[in-house]
Amino acid sequence: MLKFWTTILILFFPVFLYSQAEIDSLLNELDATIDNSKQYHQKKETEILKLIELKKITSSDVQKYEIYEKLFGEYKFYQSDSALSYARKSMKIATKLKDLTKINTSKLNLASTMGTLGMYKEATDILNKIDIKATPEIRGTYFGVSSTLYLSMSDYASTAQEKSSYLKLTKQYRDSSYNFYPKNSEPFIIHRANKLFEEKKYDETLPLLQNYFPKIKNSNPDKAVVAYLISQAYQFKKEFEQEKKWLIISAISDLQLEKKEYISLRSLAYIMYEEGDIDRAYKYTKRTLEDALFCNARLRTFEISKMIPIINEAYQKQNETNRKQLILFLVSASILSLFLLGALFLLFKQIKKLSKAKYEISLANRQFVELNKELQVFNEKLNETNNTLKEASLVKEIYIGRYMDQCSIYISKLDQYRRQLNIMATSGKMNELVRAIKSNEFIEKELKEFYTNFDKTFLSLFPNFIEEFSSLLTDTEDIKLKQGELMNTELRIFALIRLGISDSVKIADFLRYSLSTIYNYRTKLRNKALGPRDEFEANVMRIGTNK
C-alpha cells in the first residue's frame, strides 16, 4: 500500500509543481497589470477621445448614431453615468431617424445601464414598453438584458420569496434568449454554457467554453466573462487550483481592457484571504472598490462592501502582528547592540595594538616592494642582455659558418677563373683573354649569388622579417618584391641595421652603392614610419625579439 501511494506521489508531484508555477506566474502578471493601471487607463481614454473627436466632424445622423453606440460600448463597463448619457443620445438620434430597430436597441442599452446603476424600476419600465415583436432581430438581446436585470434584482431581494421569483424570471428570459441567437455565435455559446451550468452538466460546460476561449480576441470584453464561467465550473467540480487559475485570467483581461464593472478580481480577493495571502487580498479588494465607485456600479459596490470589513480586519491584524514582531526585533537588536558595543570596545583596544604592528610591517613591505621593483628592473635588463647575447652568438655562429663556406667557394672559383685565363693565354687567344679581363660579368654574377646567400642566411635567422617590417610602415610600395627576389635593396639596408650595422658607410660598401643613395633610402622609409620617425630604426631592431 505504501508503495502504491509513493508511486502516485512521484507521478503527480511534478504536475502539482508545474500548476503552482503557472499560477504564480499569472499572479505576477496580474500584480504587474494593477501596478501599470495608468498605462491601460490612458489607452482607454485615448480610444474614447478619438471617438469624441470623430463625432465633432460628423454631420450625418446615421454616423452620429454609430459613434454614440461605440461610445456607449466603450463606457458600458467603464463609467455607467457616461454610458447612460450616450445611450440617451443614441435614442434621441434613433427617434429622429424613425428607425425602430435603432430605437429599441438604444432602449435596451438604457435598460442595461440602469440595471448596473441600480435603477431597477426605470429599467423594467423601459423593457415593458418595448414592442419586441416589431423588431425580431434583437429578440436575443432583449431577453439577455432582461435575464441580467432580474438576476441583479435577485441579489437585492429583501425576502426569499422575492429572490425566488426574480431567479425564476432570470431563467425564463435566459432560456428564451438562447433560442434567438445564431448557433455558435458568442452569445449563443455563453447562454448555452449558462444553461448547462444550471443543469450541473459541468463536464459538458467546460469543453464548450475551453474550446471557444482561444478564438476570442484579447480586445473582446467577453473574454473575461468566458474565463469567469470556466472558473465557476471548476469551482463546482471542486478543482480549486483550476478555479483560481481561470479567475486570474479573467481578472487580467478585465483590468487590461480597463473594465470597472467585474466580478473576477473580487472573487479572487476572497480566495487570497482564505489562503492567508492578506496583502494580495487587501490590494485586490481595494482596487475592486475603487473601480466600482469609479464606474458607479451599485451592485458591485454593495457586494464589495460586505467583504471589506472582513479583509480590512485581517489586514489590520496582520499589520499589528508585523508591528509587534518589529518591536520585538528592535528590542532584541538593542540588547544585541549593547553586547556588540562591549565587544567593539575590546576589539578597538586590540586593533590599536595590531595597527601599530601593521604600520611596522607596512614600512618593511614598502622597502621590500622597492627592492623587488629594483630587482625586477635589473632582471629585465639582464634578460634583455642575455637575449641580445644569444642572438649575437647565433648570428655569429651562422654567419661565420656561411663566411667560411663562401670563402672556400670563392677560392675554388678564383682558381678555376685563373685556369681559364691561363688556357686563353697559352693558347694564344689574346682577344678572348682581353675581353674576359675587361668584362664585369663574372663580378656581377658573383655579387648576385653573394646577395642571394645573404638573403637566405638572414631570412633563416629572421623568417618573419619582411612581414614585421611591413607592419612598421604606412606604405609598403617600396618593399614589394619582384618575382624570384628574396629581398630588395631597401630590405637589405634595414636587414643590415637589424644585424647591428647602422653605419651608412659600411652599408654602402656592403651593397656597393653610394653613401647618398643609402642615406636617401633610409630617409625615405623613415618618413613612411607608422609611428614616430625617431623610433623607427629602434623598432626595426626589435623585430624577431617578441617585444
Side-chain angles (χ1 to χ4, degrees):
M1 190 65 180
L2 178 62
K3 187 177 180 181
F4 170 77
W5 287 112
T6 304
T7 306
I8 293 295
L9 181 63
I10 291 170
L11 288 173
F12 287 97
F13 187 66
V15 176
F16 170 76
L17 286 179
Y18 174 79
S19 176
Q20 189 58 46
E22 185 183 22
I23 287 174
D24 289 342
S25 175
L26 286 169
L27 281 172
N28 290 335
E29 184 180 352
L30 176 58
D31 291 339
T33 301
I34 293 173
D35 294 338
N36 296 325
S37 58
K38 287 184 180 178
Q39 170 190 336
Y40 300 109
H41 180 77
Q42 184 62 43
K43 183 179 178 182
K44 184 74 171 181
E45 289 292 331
T46 301
E47 292 298 321
I48 290 171
L49 186 61
K50 285 179 183 177
L51 290 171
I52 292 173
E53 292 298 320
L54 183 62
K55 190 265 296 181
K56 289 179 181 178
I57 60 173
T58 301
S59 58
S60 166
D61 286 336
V62 173
Q63 289 178 339
K64 282 183 180 180
Y65 175 82
E66 290 175 355
I67 293 170
Y68 285 145
E69 282 292 289
K70 288 179 181 178
L71 283 166
F72 169 79
E74 290 290 337
Y75 279 116
K76 183 177 181 182
F77 300 108
Y78 180 60
Q79 203 169 43
S80 297
D81 293 336
S82 297
L84 187 66
S85 173
Y86 282 108
R88 283 174 172 157
K89 288 179 180 180
S90 294
M91 191 166 70
K92 186 176 180 181
I93 295 290
T95 304
K96 185 177 178 182
L97 292 170
K98 296 179 181 180
D99 188 323
L100 190 57
T101 300
K102 287 183 171 58
I103 292 170
N104 285 343
T105 300
S106 300
K107 287 180 178 180
L108 288 175
N109 290 341
L110 269 175
S112 175
T113 308
M114 287 175 175
T116 302
L117 290 167
M119 302 165 64
Y120 300 128
K121 183 182 182 305
E122 292 85 348
T124 52
D125 286 346
I126 289 173
L127 290 174
N128 290 334
K129 291 177 182 178
I130 295 175
D131 182 10
I132 197 62
K133 292 180 181 179
T135 51
E137 65 272 22
I138 58 170
R139 279 186 179 183
T141 306
Y142 172 81
F143 291 129
V145 171
S146 300
S147 174
T148 303
L149 178 63
Y150 284 113
L151 181 62
S152 299
M153 291 171 69
S154 71
D155 289 328
Y156 268 118
S158 302
T159 66
Q161 185 179 354
E162 287 177 334
K163 187 178 184 71
S164 176
S165 176
Y166 289 141
L167 286 174
K168 185 178 179 181
L169 286 169
T170 299
K171 186 176 183 304
Q172 287 175 355
Y173 281 113
R174 183 181 293 161
D175 291 345
S176 298
S177 66
Y178 175 72
N179 296 320
F180 289 100
Y181 285 122
K183 194 172 183 181
N184 296 326
S185 67
E186 187 173 298
F188 175 87
I189 289 172
I190 291 175
H191 283 77
R192 168 74 175 156
N194 280 322
K195 185 173 178 61
L196 291 171
F197 195 85
E198 282 183 357
E199 295 170 358
K200 299 183 180 181
K201 295 179 180 178
Y202 309 123
D203 290 331
E204 293 182 40
T205 307
L206 282 172
L208 176 69
L209 294 174
Q210 287 179 324
N211 289 334
Y212 182 68
F213 183 79
K215 301 175 184 177
I216 308 173
K217 293 182 179 178
N218 290 334
S219 58
N220 190 336
D222 286 336
K223 186 160 190 172
V225 175
V226 173
Y228 176 76
L229 291 173
I230 294 172
S231 76
Q232 295 306 289
Y234 276 119
Q235 180 189 31
F236 281 96
K237 283 172 66 67
K238 300 190 183 302
E239 295 183 27
F240 299 118
E241 287 299 307
Q242 287 295 316
E243 176 201 2
K244 184 177 174 183
K245 169 189 167 180
W246 285 98
L247 275 177
I248 299 168
I249 292 171
S250 177
I252 291 171
S253 178
D254 282 330
L255 296 177
Q256 288 184 351
L257 292 178
E258 196 63 6
K259 288 168 65 177
K260 302 293 186 181
E261 200 269 328
Y262 49 72
I263 305 173
S264 300
L265 191 62
R266 173 175 59 82
S267 302
L268 185 62
Y270 189 73
I271 291 174
M272 293 291 104
Y273 166 75
E274 287 186 324
E275 290 181 354
D277 193 343
I278 305 301
D279 288 334
R280 274 198 170 110
Y282 182 78
K283 179 180 181 179
Y284 296 166
T285 305
K286 182 173 175 289
R287 173 60 190 267
T288 304
L289 180 61
E290 289 172 355
D291 286 347
L293 291 172
F294 181 89
C295 182
N296 197 17
R298 294 181 186 177
L299 176 59
R300 303 301 174 212
T301 307
F302 171 72
E303 291 171 341
I304 297 160
S305 65
K306 292 188 289 186
M307 284 179 56
I308 282 180
I310 301 169
I311 293 176
N312 190 55
E313 183 182 357
Y315 186 72
Q316 294 302 326
K317 281 182 180 179
Q318 180 173 285
N319 285 343
E320 181 63 23
T321 302
N322 291 341
R323 189 181 69 82
K324 289 178 180 178
Q325 289 176 346
L326 181 61
I327 292 171
L328 180 62
F329 172 77
L330 289 172
V331 170
S332 302
S334 299
I335 295 170
L336 184 60
S337 297
L338 291 174
F339 283 109
L340 287 173
L341 284 172
L344 286 171
F345 177 73
L346 295 173
L347 282 171
F348 182 72
K349 290 180 69 176
Q350 190 66 26
I351 286 169
K352 285 186 71 176
K353 294 179 183 178
L354 288 172
S355 64
K356 185 178 179 181
K358 282 184 179 179
Y359 178 71
E360 293 174 356
I361 292 170
S362 177
L363 285 176
N365 281 338
R366 279 201 291 269
Q367 292 174 356
F368 176 75
V369 168
E370 291 298 325
L371 288 171
N372 191 41
K373 285 181 180 177
E374 291 176 7
L375 181 62
Q376 189 175 357
V377 171
F378 177 76
N379 284 335
E380 287 176 357
K381 290 181 178 178
L382 184 61
N383 288 333
E384 187 176 343
T385 303
N386 285 336
N387 289 334
T388 304
L389 287 173
K390 286 179 182 178
E391 182 183 299
S393 177
L394 179 63
V395 170
K396 286 177 182 178
E397 182 182 338
I398 291 174
Y399 271 99
I400 286 171
R402 290 275 184 172
Y403 173 73
M404 292 176 69
D405 290 342
Q406 201 68 35
C407 286
S408 177
I409 291 168
Y410 281 151
I411 289 169
S412 297
K413 286 184 177 182
L414 285 171
D415 184 52
Q416 184 181 357
Y417 187 60
R418 179 189 63 78
R419 288 176 183 175
Q420 289 176 353
L421 293 177
N422 184 46
I423 291 169
M424 289 180 187
T426 55
S427 62
K429 296 178 181 180
M430 298 306 294
N431 291 334
E432 290 182 18
L433 177 63
V434 171
R435 214 169 21 251
I437 293 169
K438 289 182 178 181
S439 174
N440 291 327
E441 183 180 350
F442 177 77
I443 298 300
E444 289 175 359
K445 180 181 177 184
E446 293 304 318
L447 276 174
K448 183 178 180 182
E449 186 175 345
F450 172 73
Y451 289 139
T452 301
N453 285 328
F454 171 78
D455 295 345
K456 288 179 179 178
T457 304
F458 180 80
L459 291 175
S460 69
L461 288 169
F462 303 99
N464 298 321
F465 175 77
I466 296 174
E467 290 81 359
E468 293 186 44
F469 184 72
S470 299
S471 68
L472 299 175
L473 300 173
T474 57
D475 180 7
T476 59
E477 186 65 33
D478 292 322
I479 62 169
K480 285 186 177 179
L481 299 174
K482 297 177 182 177
Q483 187 173 2
E485 283 187 333
L486 294 175
M487 290 199 295
N488 57 19
T489 303
E490 289 86 344
L491 288 170
R492 290 192 188 107
I493 291 170
F494 285 92
L496 290 168
I497 291 171
R498 177 62 188 88
L499 292 172
I501 304 170
S502 59
D503 187 353
S504 294
V505 175
K506 292 181 179 180
I507 295 171
D509 288 342
F510 182 83
L511 297 176
R512 302 175 73 85
Y513 282 103
S514 67
L515 183 63
S516 61
T517 301
I518 299 300
Y519 177 78
N520 289 337
Y521 276 137
R522 291 178 74 169
T523 304
K524 184 179 180 182
L525 287 173
R526 193 184 299 118
N527 290 337
K528 294 182 178 181
L530 192 61
R533 296 176 185 176
D534 297 339
E535 298 178 9
F536 178 63
E537 292 187 1
N539 289 333
V540 171
M541 290 297 294
R542 295 190 184 94
I543 291 175
T545 62
N546 297 324
K547 290 185 181 179

